Amino acid sequence: MRELFHPNVEQLNLSSILNALGDPIRLQIIKNLSLQRETTCSCCNIDLPKSALSHHFKVLRESGLIHVRIEGKQRFLSIRYEELEKRFPGLMNSVIKNI
Amino acid sequence: MRELFHPNVEQLNLSSILNALGDPIRLQIIKNLSLQRETTCSCCNIDLPKSALSHHFKVLRESGLIHVRIEGKQRFLSIRYEELEKRFPGLMNSVIKNI
DNA sequence: AAAATAGTTCAATTGTATTTAAACTAATGA
DNA sequence: TCATTAGTTTAAATACAATTGAACTATTTT
């Protein structure tokens, strides 16, 4: 698994985005990413088994909220901020400000 | 049942709001309300049995997204726009613009 | 008072999400 | 090469959400 699926901007769907955001754990992940710009999966300070975290990362990635870059053994996560801003102006700002 | 429960602005919780919005049917209800300002439950143009609609109205009301005013036999629904704007500035605008 | 209207609640069913441990993969390090 | 690291996938369990029809409540109309 060298490349991961990321929906492109036009494919982004508001209902899926909001659904992905509407979960306390995923919102916490987004909060962490908004403060750190990039994180590895294991640096999320969330007390859950890695398989559960992996599940939430997948939901976030497939909804288009985050980008996952593979580098060696690690995955670096980041919010797809610019693309989200283009597609849903103001949305991520108001979300992140209010987590 | 003369008065319905509506959480007050301070009680509003982003995760619950986003969770309520992260459903295609409820997002459609919000879209309709954004165009009509106020609707009765039966005027939502959504093809679902009334009990299912009632469920979605309840989720929207209890999350704080909509206000329900009882008048005679009918319930008039409206988005709690001003309060939501105060609590989560910009959020509803960016959601409504992009439904 | 009885019927109609507008919607809610209930209970059952179905469907979807979350969580977990264990097995797995791919890359790095000894 | 073998072990370790970082994370994914799988399969099963549990939990939660959505949907439905039927019974119900409150209000209005006849």
PDB file of all heavy atoms in Angstrom, chain C residues 7-21:
ATOM      1  P    DG C   7     -47.746  19.352  11.212  1.00  0.00           P
ATOM      2  OP1  DG C   7     -46.977  20.586  11.364  1.00  0.00           O
ATOM      3  OP2  DG C   7     -47.921  18.718   9.904  1.00  0.00           O
ATOM      4  O5'  DG C   7     -47.163  18.277  12.226  1.00  0.00           O
ATOM      5  C5'  DG C   7     -46.997  18.721  13.574  1.00  0.00           C
ATOM      6  C4'  DG C   7     -47.108  17.569  14.507  1.00  0.00           C
ATOM      7  O4'  DG C   7     -48.192  16.699  14.188  1.00  0.00           O
ATOM      8  C3'  DG C   7     -45.907  16.630  14.524  1.00  0.00           C
ATOM      9  O3'  DG C   7     -45.042  17.045  15.568  1.00  0.00           O
ATOM     10  C2'  DG C   7     -46.505  15.278  14.804  1.00  0.00           C
ATOM     11  C1'  DG C   7     -47.984  15.541  14.960  1.00  0.00           C
ATOM     12  N9   DG C   7     -48.748  14.427  14.457  1.00  0.00           N
ATOM     13  C8   DG C   7     -49.073  14.125  13.159  1.00  0.00           C
ATOM     14  N7   DG C   7     -49.771  13.032  13.040  1.00  0.00           N
ATOM     15  C5   DG C   7     -49.912  12.577  14.335  1.00  0.00           C
ATOM     16  C6   DG C   7     -50.577  11.434  14.829  1.00  0.00           C
ATOM     17  O6   DG C   7     -51.188  10.555  14.202  1.00  0.00           O
ATOM     18  N1   DG C   7     -50.495  11.333  16.220  1.00  0.00           N
ATOM     19  C2   DG C   7     -49.840  12.250  17.029  1.00  0.00           C
ATOM     20  N2   DG C   7     -49.844  12.006  18.340  1.00  0.00           N
ATOM     21  N3   DG C   7     -49.225  13.333  16.581  1.00  0.00           N
ATOM     22  C4   DG C   7     -49.292  13.425  15.233  1.00  0.00           C
ATOM     23  P    DT C   8     -43.748  16.273  15.995  1.00  0.00           P
ATOM     24  OP1  DT C   8     -42.901  17.289  16.665  1.00  0.00           O
ATOM     25  OP2  DT C   8     -43.226  15.487  14.873  1.00  0.00           O
ATOM     26  O5'  DT C   8     -44.299  15.266  17.099  1.00  0.00           O
ATOM     27  C5'  DT C   8     -44.906  15.790  18.278  1.00  0.00           C
ATOM     28  C4'  DT C   8     -45.190  14.656  19.248  1.00  0.00           C
ATOM     29  O4'  DT C   8     -46.094  13.716  18.624  1.00  0.00           O
ATOM     30  C3'  DT C   8     -43.957  13.853  19.652  1.00  0.00           C
ATOM     31  O3'  DT C   8     -44.001  13.756  21.062  1.00  0.00           O
ATOM     32  C2'  DT C   8     -44.129  12.509  18.954  1.00  0.00           C
ATOM     33  C1'  DT C   8     -45.626  12.398  18.812  1.00  0.00           C
ATOM     34  N1   DT C   8     -46.121  11.627  17.650  1.00  0.00           N
ATOM     35  C2   DT C   8     -46.866  10.487  17.855  1.00  0.00           C
ATOM     36  O2   DT C   8     -47.130  10.055  18.962  1.00  0.00           O
ATOM     37  N3   DT C   8     -47.301   9.859  16.709  1.00  0.00           N
ATOM     38  C4   DT C   8     -47.080  10.251  15.415  1.00  0.00           C
ATOM     39  O4   DT C   8     -47.537   9.603  14.471  1.00  0.00           O
ATOM     40  C5   DT C   8     -46.283  11.444  15.262  1.00  0.00           C
ATOM     41  C7   DT C   8     -45.989  11.955  13.888  1.00  0.00           C
ATOM     42  C6   DT C   8     -45.851  12.066  16.368  1.00  0.00           C
ATOM     43  P    DT C   9     -42.770  13.099  21.875  1.00  0.00           P
ATOM     44  OP1  DT C   9     -42.771  13.764  23.205  1.00  0.00           O
ATOM     45  OP2  DT C   9     -41.562  13.117  21.024  1.00  0.00           O
ATOM     46  O5'  DT C   9     -43.204  11.584  22.079  1.00  0.00           O
ATOM     47  C5'  DT C   9     -44.427  11.310  22.754  1.00  0.00           C
ATOM     48  C4'  DT C   9     -44.693   9.814  22.711  1.00  0.00           C
ATOM     49  O4'  DT C   9     -45.075   9.412  21.381  1.00  0.00           O
ATOM     50  C3'  DT C   9     -43.495   8.943  23.093  1.00  0.00           C
ATOM     51  O3'  DT C   9     -43.975   8.041  24.078  1.00  0.00           O
ATOM     52  C2'  DT C   9     -43.111   8.253  21.788  1.00  0.00           C
ATOM     53  C1'  DT C   9     -44.463   8.185  21.077  1.00  0.00           C
ATOM     54  N1   DT C   9     -44.442   8.112  19.597  1.00  0.00           N
ATOM     55  C2   DT C   9     -45.224   7.165  18.963  1.00  0.00           C
ATOM     56  O2   DT C   9     -45.906   6.353  19.556  1.00  0.00           O
ATOM     57  N3   DT C   9     -45.180   7.195  17.584  1.00  0.00           N
ATOM     58  C4   DT C   9     -44.444   8.063  16.799  1.00  0.00           C
ATOM     59  O4   DT C   9     -44.490   7.988  15.579  1.00  0.00           O
ATOM     60  C5   DT C   9     -43.647   9.027  17.512  1.00  0.00           C
ATOM     61  C7   DT C   9     -42.809  10.019  16.758  1.00  0.00           C
ATOM     62  C6   DT C   9     -43.685   9.015  18.867  1.00  0.00           C
ATOM     63  P    DC C  10     -42.958   7.111  24.914  1.00  0.00           P
ATOM     64  OP1  DC C  10     -43.418   7.190  26.325  1.00  0.00           O
ATOM     65  OP2  DC C  10     -41.559   7.450  24.550  1.00  0.00           O
ATOM     66  O5'  DC C  10     -43.279   5.651  24.370  1.00  0.00           O
ATOM     67  C5'  DC C  10     -44.635   5.288  24.105  1.00  0.00           C
ATOM     68  C4'  DC C  10     -44.672   3.968  23.332  1.00  0.00           C
ATOM     69  O4'  DC C  10     -44.636   4.237  21.919  1.00  0.00           O
ATOM     70  C3'  DC C  10     -43.517   3.015  23.637  1.00  0.00           C
ATOM     71  O3'  DC C  10     -44.081   1.768  23.998  1.00  0.00           O
ATOM     72  C2'  DC C  10     -42.727   2.950  22.331  1.00  0.00           C
ATOM     73  C1'  DC C  10     -43.783   3.306  21.289  1.00  0.00           C
ATOM     74  N1   DC C  10     -43.303   3.972  20.046  1.00  0.00           N
ATOM     75  C2   DC C  10     -43.785   3.536  18.800  1.00  0.00           C
ATOM     76  O2   DC C  10     -44.590   2.597  18.763  1.00  0.00           O
ATOM     77  N3   DC C  10     -43.366   4.158  17.678  1.00  0.00           N
ATOM     78  C4   DC C  10     -42.503   5.176  17.761  1.00  0.00           C
ATOM     79  N4   DC C  10     -42.122   5.764  16.619  1.00  0.00           N
ATOM     80  C5   DC C  10     -41.994   5.635  19.008  1.00  0.00           C
ATOM     81  C6   DC C  10     -42.415   5.006  20.125  1.00  0.00           C
ATOM     82  P    DA C  11     -43.159   0.642  24.754  1.00  0.00           P
ATOM     83  OP1  DA C  11     -43.925   0.179  25.924  1.00  0.00           O
ATOM     84  OP2  DA C  11     -41.772   1.140  24.922  1.00  0.00           O
ATOM     85  O5'  DA C  11     -43.137  -0.509  23.674  1.00  0.00           O
ATOM     86  C5'  DA C  11     -44.184  -0.618  22.688  1.00  0.00           C
ATOM     87  C4'  DA C  11     -43.731  -1.556  21.594  1.00  0.00           C
ATOM     88  O4'  DA C  11     -43.298  -0.799  20.435  1.00  0.00           O
ATOM     89  C3'  DA C  11     -42.552  -2.461  21.954  1.00  0.00           C
ATOM     90  O3'  DA C  11     -42.768  -3.693  21.297  1.00  0.00           O
ATOM     91  C2'  DA C  11     -41.364  -1.696  21.420  1.00  0.00           C
ATOM     92  C1'  DA C  11     -41.951  -1.108  20.137  1.00  0.00           C
ATOM     93  N9   DA C  11     -41.326   0.131  19.657  1.00  0.00           N
ATOM     94  C8   DA C  11     -40.592   1.049  20.375  1.00  0.00           C
ATOM     95  N7   DA C  11     -40.169   2.063  19.658  1.00  0.00           N
ATOM     96  C5   DA C  11     -40.649   1.801  18.387  1.00  0.00           C
ATOM     97  C6   DA C  11     -40.550   2.491  17.167  1.00  0.00           C
ATOM     98  N6   DA C  11     -39.894   3.649  17.037  1.00  0.00           N
ATOM     99  N1   DA C  11     -41.145   1.952  16.092  1.00  0.00           N
ATOM    100  C2   DA C  11     -41.793   0.797  16.225  1.00  0.00           C
ATOM    101  N3   DA C  11     -41.974   0.046  17.312  1.00  0.00           N
ATOM    102  C4   DA C  11     -41.361   0.613  18.368  1.00  0.00           C
ATOM    103  P    DA C  12     -41.762  -4.961  21.520  1.00  0.00           P
ATOM    104  OP1  DA C  12     -42.587  -6.088  21.996  1.00  0.00           O
ATOM    105  OP2  DA C  12     -40.542  -4.534  22.261  1.00  0.00           O
ATOM    106  O5'  DA C  12     -41.368  -5.240  20.004  1.00  0.00           O
ATOM    107  C5'  DA C  12     -42.384  -5.224  18.987  1.00  0.00           C
ATOM    108  C4'  DA C  12     -41.712  -5.149  17.634  1.00  0.00           C
ATOM    109  O4'  DA C  12     -41.272  -3.795  17.385  1.00  0.00           O
ATOM    110  C3'  DA C  12     -40.481  -6.049  17.508  1.00  0.00           C
ATOM    111  O3'  DA C  12     -40.644  -6.866  16.352  1.00  0.00           O
ATOM    112  C2'  DA C  12     -39.316  -5.089  17.395  1.00  0.00           C
ATOM    113  C1'  DA C  12     -39.975  -3.833  16.812  1.00  0.00           C
ATOM    114  N9   DA C  12     -39.290  -2.585  17.169  1.00  0.00           N
ATOM    115  C8   DA C  12     -38.835  -2.201  18.404  1.00  0.00           C
ATOM    116  N7   DA C  12     -38.254  -1.017  18.410  1.00  0.00           N
ATOM    117  C5   DA C  12     -38.336  -0.600  17.084  1.00  0.00           C
ATOM    118  C6   DA C  12     -37.909   0.567  16.427  1.00  0.00           C
ATOM    119  N6   DA C  12     -37.285   1.570  17.039  1.00  0.00           N
ATOM    120  N1   DA C  12     -38.152   0.657  15.101  1.00  0.00           N
ATOM    121  C2   DA C  12     -38.772  -0.352  14.483  1.00  0.00           C
ATOM    122  N3   DA C  12     -39.228  -1.498  14.989  1.00  0.00           N
ATOM    123  C4   DA C  12     -38.969  -1.562  16.309  1.00  0.00           C
ATOM    124  P    DT C  13     -39.510  -7.890  15.909  1.00  0.00           P
ATOM    125  OP1  DT C  13     -40.201  -9.062  15.324  1.00  0.00           O
ATOM    126  OP2  DT C  13     -38.554  -8.053  17.033  1.00  0.00           O
ATOM    127  O5'  DT C  13     -38.764  -7.114  14.724  1.00  0.00           O
ATOM    128  C5'  DT C  13     -39.540  -6.539  13.659  1.00  0.00           C
ATOM    129  C4'  DT C  13     -38.626  -5.749  12.745  1.00  0.00           C
ATOM    130  O4'  DT C  13     -38.214  -4.538  13.401  1.00  0.00           O
ATOM    131  C3'  DT C  13     -37.353  -6.488  12.334  1.00  0.00           C
ATOM    132  O3'  DT C  13     -37.379  -6.649  10.919  1.00  0.00           O
ATOM    133  C2'  DT C  13     -36.209  -5.591  12.814  1.00  0.00           C
ATOM    134  C1'  DT C  13     -36.894  -4.242  12.991  1.00  0.00           C
ATOM    135  N1   DT C  13     -36.305  -3.333  14.027  1.00  0.00           N
ATOM    136  C2   DT C  13     -35.955  -2.050  13.650  1.00  0.00           C
ATOM    137  O2   DT C  13     -36.082  -1.630  12.505  1.00  0.00           O
ATOM    138  N3   DT C  13     -35.442  -1.274  14.656  1.00  0.00           N
ATOM    139  C4   DT C  13     -35.250  -1.637  15.978  1.00  0.00           C
ATOM    140  O4   DT C  13     -34.793  -0.847  16.788  1.00  0.00           O
ATOM    141  C5   DT C  13     -35.642  -2.992  16.305  1.00  0.00           C
ATOM    142  C7   DT C  13     -35.475  -3.487  17.705  1.00  0.00           C
ATOM    143  C6   DT C  13     -36.145  -3.774  15.331  1.00  0.00           C
ATOM    144  P    DT C  14     -36.252  -7.483  10.141  1.00  0.00           P
ATOM    145  OP1  DT C  14     -36.907  -8.094   8.973  1.00  0.00           O
ATOM    146  OP2  DT C  14     -35.489  -8.297  11.113  1.00  0.00           O
ATOM    147  O5'  DT C  14     -35.296  -6.313   9.608  1.00  0.00           O
ATOM    148  C5'  DT C  14     -35.872  -5.160   8.966  1.00  0.00           C
ATOM    149  C4'  DT C  14     -34.836  -4.072   8.916  1.00  0.00           C
ATOM    150  O4'  DT C  14     -34.572  -3.569  10.236  1.00  0.00           O
ATOM    151  C3'  DT C  14     -33.488  -4.548   8.364  1.00  0.00           C
ATOM    152  O3'  DT C  14     -33.276  -3.854   7.154  1.00  0.00           O
ATOM    153  C2'  DT C  14     -32.489  -4.199   9.466  1.00  0.00           C
ATOM    154  C1'  DT C  14     -33.234  -3.146  10.268  1.00  0.00           C
ATOM    155  N1   DT C  14     -32.859  -2.972  11.698  1.00  0.00           N
ATOM    156  C2   DT C  14     -32.442  -1.730  12.125  1.00  0.00           C
ATOM    157  O2   DT C  14     -32.348  -0.763  11.391  1.00  0.00           O
ATOM    158  N3   DT C  14     -32.136  -1.641  13.462  1.00  0.00           N
ATOM    159  C4   DT C  14     -32.207  -2.649  14.401  1.00  0.00           C
ATOM    160  O4   DT C  14     -31.912  -2.447  15.575  1.00  0.00           O
ATOM    161  C5   DT C  14     -32.651  -3.938  13.902  1.00  0.00           C
ATOM    162  C7   DT C  14     -32.759  -5.095  14.844  1.00  0.00           C
ATOM    163  C6   DT C  14     -32.949  -4.033  12.595  1.00  0.00           C
ATOM    164  P    DG C  15     -31.914  -4.131   6.255  1.00  0.00           P
ATOM    165  OP1  DG C  15     -32.249  -3.878   4.839  1.00  0.00           O
ATOM    166  OP2  DG C  15     -31.295  -5.401   6.683  1.00  0.00           O
ATOM    167  O5'  DG C  15     -30.979  -2.926   6.749  1.00  0.00           O
ATOM    168  C5'  DG C  15     -31.507  -1.609   6.809  1.00  0.00           C
ATOM    169  C4'  DG C  15     -30.483  -0.715   7.471  1.00  0.00           C
ATOM    170  O4'  DG C  15     -30.457  -0.958   8.893  1.00  0.00           O
ATOM    171  C3'  DG C  15     -29.062  -0.955   6.952  1.00  0.00           C
ATOM    172  O3'  DG C  15     -28.586   0.316   6.544  1.00  0.00           O
ATOM    173  C2'  DG C  15     -28.323  -1.524   8.160  1.00  0.00           C
ATOM    174  C1'  DG C  15     -29.116  -0.956   9.333  1.00  0.00           C
ATOM    175  N9   DG C  15     -29.082  -1.705  10.588  1.00  0.00           N
ATOM    176  C8   DG C  15     -29.405  -3.017  10.800  1.00  0.00           C
ATOM    177  N7   DG C  15     -29.309  -3.385  12.050  1.00  0.00           N
ATOM    178  C5   DG C  15     -28.883  -2.230  12.708  1.00  0.00           C
ATOM    179  C6   DG C  15     -28.606  -2.006  14.077  1.00  0.00           C
ATOM    180  O6   DG C  15     -28.678  -2.802  15.018  1.00  0.00           O
ATOM    181  N1   DG C  15     -28.200  -0.694  14.296  1.00  0.00           N
ATOM    182  C2   DG C  15     -28.085   0.280  13.336  1.00  0.00           C
ATOM    183  N2   DG C  15     -27.690   1.491  13.731  1.00  0.00           N
ATOM    184  N3   DG C  15     -28.352   0.086  12.055  1.00  0.00           N
ATOM    185  C4   DG C  15     -28.747  -1.190  11.812  1.00  0.00           C
ATOM    186  P    DT C  16     -27.186   0.447   5.735  1.00  0.00           P
ATOM    187  OP1  DT C  16     -27.410   1.429   4.647  1.00  0.00           O
ATOM    188  OP2  DT C  16     -26.620  -0.903   5.462  1.00  0.00           O
ATOM    189  O5'  DT C  16     -26.272   1.151   6.828  1.00  0.00           O
ATOM    190  C5'  DT C  16     -26.760   2.306   7.513  1.00  0.00           C
ATOM    191  C4'  DT C  16     -25.872   2.595   8.692  1.00  0.00           C
ATOM    192  O4'  DT C  16     -26.078   1.647   9.762  1.00  0.00           O
ATOM    193  C3'  DT C  16     -24.371   2.553   8.378  1.00  0.00           C
ATOM    194  O3'  DT C  16     -23.848   3.778   8.870  1.00  0.00           O
ATOM    195  C2'  DT C  16     -23.872   1.337   9.144  1.00  0.00           C
ATOM    196  C1'  DT C  16     -24.828   1.325  10.326  1.00  0.00           C
ATOM    197  N1   DT C  16     -24.988   0.047  11.069  1.00  0.00           N
ATOM    198  C2   DT C  16     -24.874   0.051  12.447  1.00  0.00           C
ATOM    199  O2   DT C  16     -24.633   1.056  13.093  1.00  0.00           O
ATOM    200  N3   DT C  16     -25.058  -1.174  13.057  1.00  0.00           N
ATOM    201  C4   DT C  16     -25.335  -2.381  12.435  1.00  0.00           C
ATOM    202  O4   DT C  16     -25.483  -3.399  13.096  1.00  0.00           O
ATOM    203  C5   DT C  16     -25.440  -2.317  10.988  1.00  0.00           C
ATOM    204  C7   DT C  16     -25.736  -3.572  10.236  1.00  0.00           C
ATOM    205  C6   DT C  16     -25.264  -1.128  10.382  1.00  0.00           C
ATOM    206  P    DA C  17     -22.391   4.272   8.551  1.00  0.00           P
ATOM    207  OP1  DA C  17     -22.473   5.430   7.686  1.00  0.00           O
ATOM    208  OP2  DA C  17     -21.587   3.085   8.168  1.00  0.00           O
ATOM    209  O5'  DA C  17     -21.924   4.736   9.997  1.00  0.00           O
ATOM    210  C5'  DA C  17     -22.483   4.097  11.107  1.00  0.00           C
ATOM    211  C4'  DA C  17     -21.830   4.514  12.378  1.00  0.00           C
ATOM    212  O4'  DA C  17     -22.020   3.431  13.292  1.00  0.00           O
ATOM    213  C3'  DA C  17     -20.322   4.722  12.314  1.00  0.00           C
ATOM    214  O3'  DA C  17     -19.980   5.614  13.364  1.00  0.00           O
ATOM    215  C2'  DA C  17     -19.795   3.310  12.472  1.00  0.00           C
ATOM    216  C1'  DA C  17     -20.832   2.675  13.428  1.00  0.00           C
ATOM    217  N9   DA C  17     -21.143   1.262  13.136  1.00  0.00           N
ATOM    218  C8   DA C  17     -21.361   0.675  11.924  1.00  0.00           C
ATOM    219  N7   DA C  17     -21.598  -0.619  11.998  1.00  0.00           N
ATOM    220  C5   DA C  17     -21.537  -0.894  13.355  1.00  0.00           C
ATOM    221  C6   DA C  17     -21.701  -2.079  14.093  1.00  0.00           C
ATOM    222  N6   DA C  17     -21.974  -3.271  13.551  1.00  0.00           N
ATOM    223  N1   DA C  17     -21.566  -2.005  15.418  1.00  0.00           N
ATOM    224  C2   DA C  17     -21.300  -0.825  15.987  1.00  0.00           C
ATOM    225  N3   DA C  17     -21.122   0.358  15.409  1.00  0.00           N
ATOM    226  C4   DA C  17     -21.258   0.254  14.066  1.00  0.00           C
ATOM    227  P    DT C  18     -18.513   5.977  13.748  1.00  0.00           P
ATOM    228  OP1  DT C  18     -18.515   7.323  14.339  1.00  0.00           O
ATOM    229  OP2  DT C  18     -17.637   5.649  12.603  1.00  0.00           O
ATOM    230  O5'  DT C  18     -18.217   4.927  14.919  1.00  0.00           O
ATOM    231  C5'  DT C  18     -18.965   5.026  16.120  1.00  0.00           C
ATOM    232  C4'  DT C  18     -18.447   4.016  17.121  1.00  0.00           C
ATOM    233  O4'  DT C  18     -18.730   2.697  16.636  1.00  0.00           O
ATOM    234  C3'  DT C  18     -16.934   4.076  17.359  1.00  0.00           C
ATOM    235  O3'  DT C  18     -16.762   4.240  18.763  1.00  0.00           O
ATOM    236  C2'  DT C  18     -16.419   2.737  16.810  1.00  0.00           C
ATOM    237  C1'  DT C  18     -17.649   1.848  16.914  1.00  0.00           C
ATOM    238  N1   DT C  18     -17.783   0.715  15.954  1.00  0.00           N
ATOM    239  C2   DT C  18     -18.011  -0.553  16.451  1.00  0.00           C
ATOM    240  O2   DT C  18     -18.092  -0.798  17.648  1.00  0.00           O
ATOM    241  N3   DT C  18     -18.161  -1.540  15.500  1.00  0.00           N
ATOM    242  C4   DT C  18     -18.104  -1.393  14.137  1.00  0.00           C
ATOM    243  O4   DT C  18     -18.250  -2.351  13.395  1.00  0.00           O
ATOM    244  C5   DT C  18     -17.853  -0.050  13.672  1.00  0.00           C
ATOM    245  C7   DT C  18     -17.783   0.216  12.208  1.00  0.00           C
ATOM    246  C6   DT C  18     -17.712   0.927  14.591  1.00  0.00           C
ATOM    247  P    DT C  19     -15.345   4.434  19.446  1.00  0.00           P
ATOM    248  OP1  DT C  19     -15.525   5.157  20.716  1.00  0.00           O
ATOM    249  OP2  DT C  19     -14.411   4.928  18.415  1.00  0.00           O
ATOM    250  O5'  DT C  19     -14.956   2.930  19.780  1.00  0.00           O
ATOM    251  C5'  DT C  19     -15.709   2.214  20.751  1.00  0.00           C
ATOM    252  C4'  DT C  19     -15.207   0.788  20.840  1.00  0.00           C
ATOM    253  O4'  DT C  19     -15.537   0.111  19.625  1.00  0.00           O
ATOM    254  C3'  DT C  19     -13.696   0.671  20.984  1.00  0.00           C
ATOM    255  O3'  DT C  19     -13.421   0.225  22.306  1.00  0.00           O
ATOM    256  C2'  DT C  19     -13.279  -0.342  19.905  1.00  0.00           C
ATOM    257  C1'  DT C  19     -14.607  -0.921  19.436  1.00  0.00           C
ATOM    258  N1   DT C  19     -14.697  -1.298  17.996  1.00  0.00           N
ATOM    259  C2   DT C  19     -15.059  -2.587  17.672  1.00  0.00           C
ATOM    260  O2   DT C  19     -15.274  -3.445  18.505  1.00  0.00           O
ATOM    261  N3   DT C  19     -15.144  -2.833  16.323  1.00  0.00           N
ATOM    262  C4   DT C  19     -14.905  -1.947  15.296  1.00  0.00           C
ATOM    263  O4   DT C  19     -15.021  -2.297  14.133  1.00  0.00           O
ATOM    264  C5   DT C  19     -14.533  -0.614  15.708  1.00  0.00           C
ATOM    265  C7   DT C  19     -14.258   0.437  14.669  1.00  0.00           C
ATOM    266  C6   DT C  19     -14.455  -0.354  17.019  1.00  0.00           C
ATOM    267  P    DT C  20     -11.906   0.144  22.852  1.00  0.00           P
ATOM    268  OP1  DT C  20     -11.985   0.220  24.314  1.00  0.00           O
ATOM    269  OP2  DT C  20     -11.069   1.096  22.099  1.00  0.00           O
ATOM    270  O5'  DT C  20     -11.488  -1.334  22.445  1.00  0.00           O
ATOM    271  C5'  DT C  20     -12.291  -2.416  22.935  1.00  0.00           C
ATOM    272  C4'  DT C  20     -11.839  -3.727  22.328  1.00  0.00           C
ATOM    273  O4'  DT C  20     -12.337  -3.824  20.977  1.00  0.00           O
ATOM    274  C3'  DT C  20     -10.334  -3.873  22.187  1.00  0.00           C
ATOM    275  O3'  DT C  20      -9.858  -4.622  23.299  1.00  0.00           O
ATOM    276  C2'  DT C  20     -10.123  -4.609  20.872  1.00  0.00           C
ATOM    277  C1'  DT C  20     -11.506  -4.688  20.250  1.00  0.00           C
ATOM    278  N1   DT C  20     -11.575  -4.220  18.850  1.00  0.00           N
ATOM    279  C2   DT C  20     -11.999  -5.092  17.859  1.00  0.00           C
ATOM    280  O2   DT C  20     -12.294  -6.247  18.093  1.00  0.00           O
ATOM    281  N3   DT C  20     -12.043  -4.567  16.600  1.00  0.00           N
ATOM    282  C4   DT C  20     -11.703  -3.274  16.226  1.00  0.00           C
ATOM    283  O4   DT C  20     -11.791  -2.910  15.066  1.00  0.00           O
ATOM    284  C5   DT C  20     -11.267  -2.414  17.304  1.00  0.00           C
ATOM    285  C7   DT C  20     -10.879  -0.989  17.008  1.00  0.00           C
ATOM    286  C6   DT C  20     -11.221  -2.918  18.545  1.00  0.00           C
ATOM    287  P    DA C  21      -8.299  -4.973  23.514  1.00  0.00           P
ATOM    288  OP1  DA C  21      -8.122  -5.241  24.952  1.00  0.00           O
ATOM    289  OP2  DA C  21      -7.480  -3.953  22.839  1.00  0.00           O
ATOM    290  O5'  DA C  21      -8.134  -6.331  22.710  1.00  0.00           O
ATOM    291  C5'  DA C  21      -8.987  -7.450  22.976  1.00  0.00           C
ATOM    292  C4'  DA C  21      -8.639  -8.580  22.019  1.00  0.00           C
ATOM    293  O4'  DA C  21      -9.005  -8.187  20.672  1.00  0.00           O
ATOM    294  C3'  DA C  21      -7.160  -8.926  21.969  1.00  0.00           C
ATOM    295  O3'  DA C  21      -7.042 -10.338  21.803  1.00  0.00           O
ATOM    296  C2'  DA C  21      -6.656  -8.167  20.744  1.00  0.00           C
ATOM    297  C1'  DA C  21      -7.876  -8.225  19.824  1.00  0.00           C
ATOM    298  N9   DA C  21      -7.995  -7.092  18.898  1.00  0.00           N
ATOM    299  C8   DA C  21      -7.666  -5.790  19.121  1.00  0.00           C
ATOM    300  N7   DA C  21      -7.909  -4.998  18.096  1.00  0.00           N
ATOM    301  C5   DA C  21      -8.419  -5.847  17.130  1.00  0.00           C
ATOM    302  C6   DA C  21      -8.874  -5.639  15.816  1.00  0.00           C
ATOM    303  N6   DA C  21      -8.886  -4.445  15.226  1.00  0.00           N
ATOM    304  N1   DA C  21      -9.327  -6.704  15.120  1.00  0.00           N
ATOM    305  C2   DA C  21      -9.323  -7.895  15.715  1.00  0.00           C
ATOM    306  N3   DA C  21      -8.923  -8.226  16.945  1.00  0.00           N
ATOM    307  C4   DA C  21      -8.481  -7.146  17.607  1.00  0.00           C
TER     308       DA C  21
END
